[in-house]
Amino acid sequence: VATIREVAKLAGVSVATVSRVLNSQGYVGVDTRKKVEQAIKALNYTPNAVARSLFNKQSKSIGFIIPDITNPFFPQLVKAVEETLTEQGYTVLLFNSDENLEKISKIIDLMKAEYVAGALIVSDHVKEEHLSNISIPVVAIDRTISGNIPSVTVNNYENAREAVRFLIQQGCSRIAHIRGPKEVYTSEERYRGYCDEMAAQGLPQFVTFGNYELVTSSQATISLLAEHPQIDAFFAGNDIMAVGVIKSLTSLGIPIPEQIKVIGFDGIEWGTTVTPELTTMMQPIQQLGHKSGELLLDIINGSHQGSQHFSFDACLIERQSTNGRG
Amino acid sequence: VATIREVAKLAGVSVATVSRVLNSQGYVGVDTRKKVEQAIKALNYTPNAVARSLFNKQSKSIGFIIPDITNPFFPQLVKAVEETLTEQGYTVLLFNSDENLEKISKIIDLMKAEYVAGALIVSDHVKEEHLSNISIPVVAIDRTISGNIPSVTVNNYENAREAVRFLIQQGCSRIAHIRGPKEVYTSEERYRGYCDEMAAQGLPQFVTFGNYELVTSSQATISLLAEHPQIDAFFAGNDIMAVGVIKSLTSLGIPIPEQIKVIGFDGIEWGTTVTPELTTMMQPIQQLGHKSGELLLDIINGSHQGSQHFSFDACLIERQSTNGRG
DNA sequence: GTGAAAGCGCTAACAG
DNA sequence: CTGTTAGCGCTTTCAC
């Protein structure tokens, strides 16, 4: 592997000059530049990223902390983020936190040690104080951390109301909500949206915890239905739970959507594998990923101005689980 | 952030001595060591990983190349791999190749630039020559690259035969195979297993391509069935395609497993969300991940000896899609 | 046992 | 415009 010194020697110049053409910084004579470029090509030279990091105290990589790589929502987000970041010459370092604070603090140490240029964080447990002794730019995705930390989110609250309104338009009035875990931002927001919309419409509320899990949600469905047989629709806090609802209803022999309609939230592929296919509020994953990548890069480059917080709307995808003759 | 020099000053020794206790290398006086350790604690010092890499030309990170992060099989593998690697103080750098050779060569360059200690690769397109000018240890997972490159795989061929045999035991004899894409190792192996077992049993073969995709598989199912109505079982090359089979059969009103039985391969969670739940050959993902991590570490540490190739068995999980009154 | 010094590959003053 | 030089933080001969 060639070093800058070898390039300099071949080109008959000093390493400083080579460094200048490498970073297109400072004045370099036209012919000198040409000689250097030839030498670079001849030696198939690439600057050593580690040495650069050591000096610059910054690398061309971005840390990305997600809570759970096995939740299909996140891999899609990762892909979107990677698209914009690699396009700008950055590498994404992906970390799985499992929402474990010890792990998170290790990850943050590691990111500092690796001189990452910035960080993208999806977490309900990371608070501003965890980030206080970290001097690198951070953008929160999918949930806010604090008003001081830039964020890119989804209008969970408003879109949840929209889901409920859609069910009402379809003729439902006894709408149950299987909600996600406590203290999880998206879960709380969607729950709040459900409550407010139902209250606004003067409709009764039926709520149980499903914890964003399939099995829990299946069970919750059955017990809720036992208590309130009049339920004519389920709004699940995410698609995984909605699939659980569909499983239970199917096993109970309840026709979907004729007797009970089901709507989810997320837009993951699972929703299309079940029968009937799941109607859902599809999250704008591409937009989330691209915007957060761009925002972070802008902040890193110091070229960002204006609002620190962005949010996008989920989009209703009507499929079979609500498309009855209704 | 403290540096080694500050630690040395506080401890009243030279940086060389600090370095020695850091790496527990060379002789250090007992009391000197104690002073240094105190200073380290007092300053909350952590050695700078980048500076270390620059000198050692090796970092404590492992590159992991997967073909597609949105395929649920890989996130699970990633988790298993991470478990063993982080335990040993290594960080996993995850890369998505999309099986794009250009991207792969960039990733390999990057890994060299970051001085990764080793690499784990899942790919059908990476050949030995791509790795030739790379001097870091490599382990292939889930598919072999060449006899010279250590690998940890699944007995796709044998386990596919097992799946077919199971179907036969259940009383099926007109068994169709929806196969994965051409030139994909796992796909070819499972196909070969199907063919050989069917031939051995003197049974007729029905094969179509499903390309490891849901929609393609659904369509393939319908056309295959139109041509050969006598089919009484489907062996799909992976679970995603098996779900596609179930979808089509359900929409055709064909009872599963009474009229037609279905078996998949992989053991992803999707299989439990569909109705009926999917019988499948569950891959030993944990074992795959752990073994490949250990193997790579052993090679890096030069402590490996013996076989370079390991393989594990997938395990039959009987669920509703084959559990008819049969 | 311990320290001084050279150097990993690169960049950024500072001279010229 | 271009070269010299001093580090970034760490490890490792080589003396003492």
Side-chain angles (χ1 to χ4, degrees):
Chain A
V1 190
T3 77
I4 197 174
R5 231 177 309 268
E6 308 180 51
V7 175
K9 194 157 60 172
L10 210 182
V13 300
S14 79
V15 294
T17 305
V18 177
S19 179
R20 284 192 194 97
V21 345
L22 246 35
N23 303 285
S24 28
Q25 203 165 127
Y27 296 95
V28 180
V30 192
D31 41 343
T32 316
R33 150 164 288 118
K34 203 164 281 176
K35 276 191 297 182
V36 171
E37 281 164 349
Q38 278 172 7
I40 289 178
K41 211 154 290 170
L43 264 44
N44 194 235
Y45 165 78
T46 334
N48 181 311
V50 173
R52 273 190 164 166
S53 298
L54 181 59
F55 186 94
N56 293 324
K57 298 189 166 324
Q58 170 163 145
S59 73
K60 290 289 262 183
S61 51
I62 303 285
F64 188 6
I65 306 183
I66 61 177
D68 178 14
I69 193 178
T70 62
N71 175 335
F73 175 73
F74 296 113
Q76 284 184 254
L77 187 60
V78 170
K79 240 181 176 168
V81 164
E82 269 185 348
E83 277 168 19
T84 65
L85 257 30
T86 59
E87 200 172 78
Q88 302 295 322
Y90 285 85
T91 309
V92 177
L93 268 38
L94 191 62
F95 301 100
N96 217 246
S97 72
D98 291 322
E99 285 286 27
N100 174 333
L101 275 182
E102 235 182 290
K103 226 167 163 179
I104 291 177
S105 100
K106 266 192 201 156
I107 294 173
I108 293 181
D109 284 349
L110 184 72
M111 292 199 305
K112 281 196 286 193
E114 295 284 349
Y115 294 134
V116 301
L120 259 15
I121 301 183
V122 182
S123 171
D124 284 297
H125 294 173
V126 171
K127 300 287 171 241
E128 199 172 355
E129 54 261 35
H130 298 286
L131 272 18
S132 55
N133 55 352
I134 188 189
S135 53
I136 64 181
V138 169
V139 168
I141 313 186
D142 200 42
R143 14 217 127 168
T144 54
I145 291 179
S146 92
N148 298 321
I149 301 202
S151 69
V152 180
T153 53
V154 171
N155 292 322
N156 291 285
Y157 172 76
E158 189 45 54
N159 297 148
R161 292 190 68 151
E162 198 179 325
V164 174
R165 271 200 300 275
F166 172 71
L167 254 16
I168 295 172
Q169 279 167 25
Q170 302 296 304
C172 304
S173 61
R174 309 277 166 176
I175 304 172
H177 180 48
I178 310 281
R179 56 160 296 179
K182 253 195 158 41
E183 289 172 27
V184 169
Y185 176 80
T186 54
S187 158
E188 297 285 2
E189 288 291 290
R190 292 169 195 175
Y191 168 61
R192 214 161 55 77
Y194 164 83
C195 292
D196 286 4
E197 186 64 31
M198 294 299 275
Q201 306 266 355
L203 260 22
Q205 303 177 205
F206 312 94
V207 178
T208 320
F209 279 90
N211 292 331
Y212 277 173
E213 292 165 4
L214 182 80
V215 178
T216 320
S217 166
S218 280
Q219 293 162 350
T221 303
I222 291 175
S223 47
L224 206 54
L225 220 43
E227 259 185 276
H228 309 284
Q230 74 274 36
I231 286 172
D232 58 10
F234 278 90
F235 165 43
N238 73 359
D239 282 352
I240 292 176
M241 294 195 297
V243 169
V245 171
I246 289 180
K247 272 201 77 170
S248 284
L249 296 183
T250 303
S251 73
L252 257 32
I254 297 175
I256 312 172
E258 290 76 10
Q259 184 179 332
I260 295 185
K261 301 194 198 311
V262 180
I263 190 169
F265 205 117
D266 270 0
I268 63 176
E269 208 185 342
W270 275 19
T272 62
T273 67
V274 290
T275 308
E277 294 187 7
L278 180 66
T279 292
T280 190
M281 298 300 300
M282 170 92 75
Q283 301 220 50
I285 300 191
Q286 292 292 315
Q287 288 180 61
L288 273 184
H290 291 162
K291 183 67 196 178
S292 47
E294 286 165 15
L295 179 57
L296 183 59
L297 257 24
D298 282 352
I299 296 174
I300 291 171
N301 299 329
S303 64
H304 181 68
Q305 38 197 1
S307 173
Q308 299 255 301
H309 300 278
F310 299 85
S311 64
F312 295 99
D313 277 306
C315 157
L316 177 69
I317 306 287
E318 290 187 53
R319 289 197 283 243
Q320 301 160 353
S321 70
T322 56
N323 277 349
R325 352 108 289 163
Chain B
V1 192
T3 77
I4 196 174
R5 230 177 310 267
E6 308 180 50
V7 175
K9 194 158 59 173
L10 210 182
V13 300
S14 79
V15 295
T17 305
V18 177
S19 177
R20 286 193 192 95
V21 344
L22 247 36
N23 303 286
S24 31
Q25 203 163 127
Y27 295 94
V28 179
V30 191
D31 41 343
T32 316
R33 151 166 287 119
K34 204 164 281 174
K35 278 191 296 180
V36 172
E37 281 165 350
Q38 278 172 7
I40 288 178
K41 212 155 290 170
L43 264 45
N44 193 236
Y45 166 78
T46 335
N48 181 309
V50 174
R52 271 190 164 166
S53 298
L54 182 58
F55 187 94
N56 294 324
K57 298 192 166 324
Q58 169 160 147
S59 73
K60 290 289 261 183
S61 52
I62 303 285
F64 187 7
I65 305 182
I66 62 177
D68 179 14
I69 192 178
T70 62
N71 177 337
F73 175 73
F74 296 113
Q76 285 183 255
L77 187 60
V78 170
K79 240 182 174 164
V81 164
E82 269 185 348
E83 277 168 20
T84 65
L85 257 28
T86 60
E87 200 172 78
Q88 302 294 323
Y90 284 85
T91 308
V92 177
L93 267 38
L94 190 64
F95 301 100
N96 216 249
S97 73
D98 292 323
E99 285 285 29
N100 175 332
L101 275 182
E102 236 181 287
K103 228 167 161 178
I104 291 177
S105 99
K106 267 192 199 155
I107 293 173
I108 292 180
D109 284 349
L110 185 72
M111 294 199 303
K112 280 195 286 191
E114 296 284 348
Y115 294 134
V116 302
L120 259 16
I121 301 183
V122 182
S123 170
D124 284 298
H125 294 172
V126 171
K127 300 287 172 241
E128 198 171 356
E129 53 261 36
H130 299 284
L131 271 20
S132 54
N133 55 351
I134 189 189
S135 53
I136 64 182
V138 170
V139 168
I141 313 185
D142 199 43
R143 13 217 126 168
T144 54
I145 291 179
S146 92
N148 298 321
I149 302 205
S151 67
V152 179
T153 53
V154 171
N155 292 322
N156 290 285
Y157 171 77
E158 191 44 56
N159 297 147
R161 292 190 68 152
E162 198 179 325
V164 173
R165 272 199 301 275
F166 171 70
L167 253 15
I168 295 173
Q169 279 166 25
Q170 301 297 304
C172 303
S173 61
R174 308 279 168 175
I175 303 171
H177 179 49
I178 309 283
R179 58 159 295 178
K182 251 195 158 46
E183 289 172 27
V184 169
Y185 176 80
T186 54
S187 158
E188 297 285 2
E189 288 291 292
R190 293 168 195 175
Y191 168 62
R192 214 161 54 79
Y194 164 84
C195 292
D196 287 4
E197 186 63 32
M198 293 299 274
Q201 306 267 355
L203 260 21
Q205 303 178 205
F206 311 95
V207 179
T208 321
F209 279 91
N211 292 331
Y212 278 172
E213 292 165 5
L214 181 79
V215 177
T216 319
S217 166
S218 279
Q219 293 163 349
T221 304
I222 292 175
S223 48
L224 207 54
L225 220 44
E227 257 185 278
H228 309 285
Q230 73 274 37
I231 286 172
D232 58 11
F234 278 90
F235 164 43
N238 73 359
D239 282 352
I240 292 177
M241 293 195 297
V243 169
V245 171
I246 289 181
K247 274 201 76 169
S248 283
L249 296 183
T250 303
S251 74
L252 256 32
I254 296 175
I256 312 172
E258 290 76 10
Q259 184 180 334
I260 295 186
K261 302 194 197 312
V262 180
I263 189 168
F265 205 117
D266 271 359
I268 62 176
E269 209 185 339
W270 276 18
T272 63
T273 66
V274 291
T275 308
E277 293 187 7
L278 181 65
T279 293
T280 190
M281 298 302 298
M282 169 93 76
Q283 302 219 49
I285 300 190
Q286 291 291 317
Q287 288 181 60
L288 273 185
H290 291 161
K291 184 67 195 177
S292 46
E294 286 163 16
L295 179 57
L296 183 59
L297 256 27
D298 282 352
I299 296 176
I300 290 172
N301 299 328
S303 64
H304 181 69
Q305 38 197 1
S307 173
Q308 299 256 299
H309 300 279
F310 298 85
S311 63
F312 295 99
D313 276 307
C315 156
L316 177 68
I317 306 286
E318 289 187 54
R319 289 196 285 244
Q320 302 159 352
S321 70
T322 55
N323 276 350
R325 352 108 288 165

